[in-house]
Amino acid sequence: MESSGENIKVVIIGGVACGPKTASRLKRLMPEAEVTLIDKSATISYGACGLPYYVESLFDDVMVLNETPVGIRRTPQFFEAVKGFKVLTRVEAISIDRSERKVRVKHLDTGKEEDLYYDKLVIATGAEPLRPPIPGIDKSRVWTVRNLEDAVFIRNAIEKEGCKKAVVVGGGYIGLEMAEALKIKGLDVSIVEMCDHVLPQMLDKEIALLVQKHLVEKGVKLFVEEKLEAIEGDDYVKAVRTNKRMIDTDMVVFSVGVKPRDELARKAGLACHEKGGIIVNHFCQTSDPNIYAGGDCVVNSYIYPYLGAPVYTPLGSIANKHGRIIANHITGLVTPFMGVLETTICKVFDLTVGRVGITEEMARNLNLDVETAIWAGPDKPHYMGGKPIIIKMIAQKRYRKLIGVEIVGTGDVSKRLDVAATSMFFGATVDQIAYLDLGYAPPYSPPLDPIMTTAHVLLNKMNNIAKSLNPLEAYRWMKEKRDIILLDVRTPQEFSESGFKDERVIHIPLGQLRQRASELSKDKDILTFCKVSMRGYEAQRILNAQGFERVWFIEGGLVAWPFE
Ligand code: FAD
């Protein structure tokens, strides 16, 4: 231990996730430490991640988000009595004097200022939602969603003021969660997203298009590749103007990202990243070893530096880990923070959407040599009610390492995402993932779990056994009107029910392909497919064995096909 803790004074600025986590662990490890946590807000330690679910009315008292699992409010008195540290709310830190080791604070209700002296200081000031300087942004009923008040305003506007239409600006995960909440409340919801697909920081386009398809099926109006130009109305918002249209609305929810609150640190001369965010080491120490920082106000690095650095990852999961690392280090426990993989998961109506590591687009921008594979199929056997999931894996070819996974589906995405995240955390190769020893029983998974089967497809591609096109490439080939054959190898029954409406489609059920292969031309490119492309892959192998060289299967088949 660095100090007995007897006289150590620790001041923590910020009381939502990282701050209270640090303080609580610190008092458990070092009961004699004198810990004071301050926050400029009135309410601390709440689950901001639950705000969309309050808006959709999953529960009616927003203060549930401020309760322990057994229903006790996490008030300053609670923290003092149960955890043993002091909490000052409505108190803002206005400057840090590093040479004197003191923080100047202002009591917002009285205007009184005082100095708090520290031996160790923790900055956990979080992040602030971006509000771009768009004409009309200051009109009434234009919100961001960050704290309890924001969510209460939004819900009141619906339930008490009769708002019927909403525009969500930004198709990131919080934007989509809010769009779902507002739709469930019965509003006419539009999303305006500047990029060419939703979840642009999280997913490659062909996976994001599956999410878009689902949003549209659920009645959300989606305007991608559209830039918000102005918010119209008098006092209250009445419409938004994009570069392509006007959209009438009663409210606007901005969800275009957050920026780290690093001003205090900057003013105190601590090293910060040029794009924002306090720079910290593996123990969350800033450039001043007596000052720590964690949560949304810092920049992180990837566990594997070649995946790019630094990375801004404003996630509650990470803020809590930082809190623990900081408390450990203050007490002398050496537990380095290994870095992030940006593991993110969210619910979009019936879909679960997850991502770990980097996308193919990011990998290509980093000039990494990548191979990818998309797999689609049920999360457990069909006779147990399996539901579809679609997995995209991205590997670095040279080292055969998994560097990214994207998963979407109505089945159990979360289990596969966490297996992928754990494997990546320990630096697994695709070969290792292909033979993981995972639990199997029909209620939970097929004998070979989808995460392993996806690795098999990827290995088959890396070993030149499988040749395939991802849906975007296949779509491009089809659009370019190449003289191709779209070989549907499903059963006659499946063929009669759905499929591509395209005159280049030839239907030969897989069981007849060996006999009827001569009906196909070896001079044409052949794209094989079925429902999920297991049979599509088999067809590719059968045709290869008969001397057809220009054969590719469409990855993920019709289930992963994101177009009409
Ligand atoms: P914050 O939560 O930003 O808290 C910082 C606190 O510091 C604030 O209370 C602020 O008032 C206080 N403060 C700032 N400056 C000062 C000052 N000068 N003096 C005194 N006090 C100050 N993350 C996930 O991992 N999964 C999710 O599903 C998820 N969903 C989310 C959904 C929504 C709608 C939102 C808004 C966030 C979600 N997040 C999610 C992100 C997660 O909530 C944040 O990453 C987490 O709250 C960050 O915690 P923090 O302690 O770093 O900072």
Side-chain angles (χ1 to χ4, degrees):
M1 296 264 172
E2 185 186 74
S3 142
S4 72
E6 212 157 291
N7 299 315
I8 194 169
K9 279 193 172 63
V10 180
V11 173
I12 299 174
I13 310 170
V16 175
C18 180
K21 184 73 193 170
T22 309
S24 302
R25 171 121 178 118
L26 196 49
K27 286 299 288 185
R28 284 193 287 269
L29 297 182
M30 194 182 254
E32 61 280 24
E34 202 182 293
V35 180
T36 306
L37 181 148
I38 66 165
D39 199 299
K40 59 185 178 179
S41 308
T43 310
I44 57 160
S45 191
Y46 54 85
C49 316
L51 294 173
Y53 307 102
Y54 164 74
V55 171
E56 80 170 52
S57 297
L58 209 60
F59 46 91
D60 287 325
D61 181 2
V62 78
M63 294 314 286
V64 166
L65 296 172
N66 174 243
E67 287 175 355
T68 68
V70 292
I72 300 169
R73 284 273 313 276
R74 289 191 291 249
T75 59
Q77 296 73 26
F78 163 84
F79 282 113
E80 193 139 7
V82 179
K83 307 283 179 181
F85 62 88
K86 192 165 162 191
V87 176
L88 304 172
T89 53
R90 302 276 301 146
V91 171
E92 180 171 9
I94 45 184
S95 64
I96 298 166
D97 181 338
R98 286 167 52 198
S99 56
E100 295 283 318
R101 292 202 200 164
K102 64 183 185 186
V103 183
R104 186 80 183 154
V105 303
K106 183 175 182 177
H107 294 256
L108 298 176
D109 293 328
T110 59
K112 190 184 131 208
E113 291 189 9
E114 63 172 319
D115 292 323
L116 299 180
Y117 285 84
Y118 65 83
D119 297 307
K120 304 287 177 194
L121 176 66
V122 180
I123 303 177
T125 45
E128 202 142 351
L130 292 168
R131 282 179 76 93
I134 285 170
I137 186 101
D138 294 325
K139 292 195 190 306
S140 292
R141 297 203 191 112
V142 176
W143 290 293
T144 52
V145 194
R146 185 75 194 173
N147 54 40
L148 303 179
E149 291 78 26
D150 299 330
V152 171
F153 281 134
I154 293 173
R155 203 159 143 187
N156 280 347
I158 300 166
E159 292 177 358
K160 302 197 173 131
E161 297 161 26
C163 287
K164 299 267 183 282
K165 293 179 185 171
V167 169
V168 175
V169 183
Y173 82 93
I174 295 179
L176 300 195
E177 287 176 352
M178 285 306 297
E180 176 182 351
L182 295 166
K183 192 73 200 164
I184 289 171
K185 290 296 281 179
L187 274 73
D188 179 348
V189 180
S190 304
I191 298 175
V192 176
E193 167 57 55
M194 200 167 72
C195 297
D196 69 350
H197 60 86
V198 296
L199 298 169
Q201 313 290 330
M202 193 170 156
L203 301 178
D204 283 315
K205 186 169 178 175
E206 69 274 26
I207 305 296
L209 289 180
L210 294 166
V211 180
Q212 290 185 194
K213 209 172 168 183
H214 188 67
L215 283 165
V216 172
E217 277 164 17
K218 291 290 175 184
V220 173
K221 294 174 187 146
L222 201 53
F223 303 105
V224 292
E225 282 189 285
E226 282 199 38
K227 199 160 181 260
L228 189 76
E229 289 186 340
I231 297 172
E232 311 279 351
D234 302 321
D235 290 345
Y236 287 91
V237 54
K238 289 218 169 69
V240 299
R241 178 158 51 80
T242 74
N243 55 334
K244 295 190 183 154
R245 73 195 81 228
M246 290 284 277
I247 308 170
D248 288 345
T249 191
D250 301 322
M251 66 163 79
V252 177
V253 177
F254 261 91
S255 183
V256 294
V258 294
K259 65 168 190 237
R261 283 199 198 100
D262 59 9
E263 307 79 14
L264 269 179
R266 270 178 203 278
K267 276 201 282 174
L270 299 174
C272 289
H273 192 261
E274 57 192 19
K275 289 188 183 155
I278 305 167
I279 296 172
V280 291
N281 65 13
H282 282 333
F283 304 108
C284 292
Q285 279 172 303
T286 65
S287 49
D288 178 338
N290 290 315
I291 304 181
Y292 293 79
D296 285 7
C297 61
V298 308
V299 281
N300 284 291
S301 34
Y302 269 108
I303 288 185
Y304 305 107
Y306 63 86
L307 296 185
V311 53
Y312 182 52
T313 319
L315 288 169
S317 50
I318 292 168
N320 276 288
K321 274 177 278 194
H322 284 165
R324 201 175 155 91
I325 299 280
I326 295 170
N328 285 356
H329 200 252
I330 291 175
T331 64
L333 276 176
V334 179
T335 51
F337 183 62
M338 305 302 288
V340 300
L341 287 169
E342 287 202 284
T343 314
T344 312
I345 187 162
C346 66
K347 176 179 173 298
V348 183
F349 292 95
D350 305 337
L351 289 183
T352 307
V353 184
R355 182 295 287 272
V356 52
I358 58 175
T359 61
E360 180 182 354
E361 191 186 341
M362 292 170 187
R364 292 201 187 280
N365 288 340
L366 288 167
N367 285 325
L368 299 178
D369 55 333
V370 293
E371 186 63 270
T372 68
I374 294 175
W375 176 93
D379 63 343
K380 52 189 167 187
H382 59 282
Y383 58 84
M384 294 303 292
K387 293 182 182 161
I389 59 176
I390 293 132
I391 304 180
K392 175 170 179 176
M393 268 190 183
I394 301 127
Q396 192 181 12
K397 259 198 263 183
R398 189 184 319 167
Y399 305 112
R400 298 172 83 85
K401 288 243 180 210
L402 188 65
I403 56 173
V405 176
E406 301 167 33
I407 317 182
V408 49
T410 51
D412 188 350
V413 166
S414 133
K415 165 172 155 168
R416 279 74 200 193
L417 183 73
D418 285 344
V419 170
T422 310
S423 303
M424 281 183 63
F425 188 89
F426 293 109
T429 60
V430 183
D431 308 72
Q432 289 168 324
I433 292 163
Y435 298 102
L436 283 172
D437 189 5
L438 302 178
Y440 158 61
Y444 307 108
S445 67
L448 288 174
D449 191 85
I451 202 75
M452 294 158 72
T453 322
T454 314
H456 297 163
V457 179
L458 190 48
L459 287 178
N460 282 340
K461 285 185 76 176
M462 290 201 284
N463 296 334
N464 294 321
I465 298 167
K467 256 174 77 181
S468 59
L469 295 179
N470 87 14
L472 275 187
E473 291 167 320
Y475 184 69
R476 190 166 47 78
W477 281 33
M478 286 158 78
K479 279 277 154 195
E480 285 172 359
K481 298 211 186 303
R482 290 184 180 218
D483 189 16
I484 53 175
I485 294 171
L486 297 167
L487 181 63
D488 188 335
V489 293
R490 295 175 302 157
T491 62
Q493 164 92 25
E494 287 175 283
F495 181 69
S496 68
E497 286 167 2
S498 63
F500 294 129
K501 290 189 178 62
D502 191 306
E503 59 199 16
R504 294 166 295 183
V505 171
I506 294 178
H507 175 230
I508 304 179
L510 188 68
Q512 299 173 17
L513 189 58
R514 283 186 174 82
Q515 292 73 41
R516 292 177 55 192
S518 56
E519 293 172 28
L520 303 167
S521 162
K522 286 186 177 154
D523 299 330
K524 288 189 175 183
D525 291 339
I526 302 175
L527 271 58
T528 63
F529 67 94
C530 62
K531 187 176 172 190
V532 295
S533 271
M534 260 315 286
R535 287 168 289 173
Y537 165 56
E538 299 249 16
Q540 176 232 307
R541 295 299 299 165
I542 290 170
L543 291 175
N544 286 163
Q546 298 206 14
F548 289 80
E549 284 176 2
R550 292 162 57 182
V551 190
W552 294 261
F553 71 88
I554 302 177
E555 291 179 15
L558 294 176
V559 167
W561 188 252
F563 308 100
E564 285 302 310

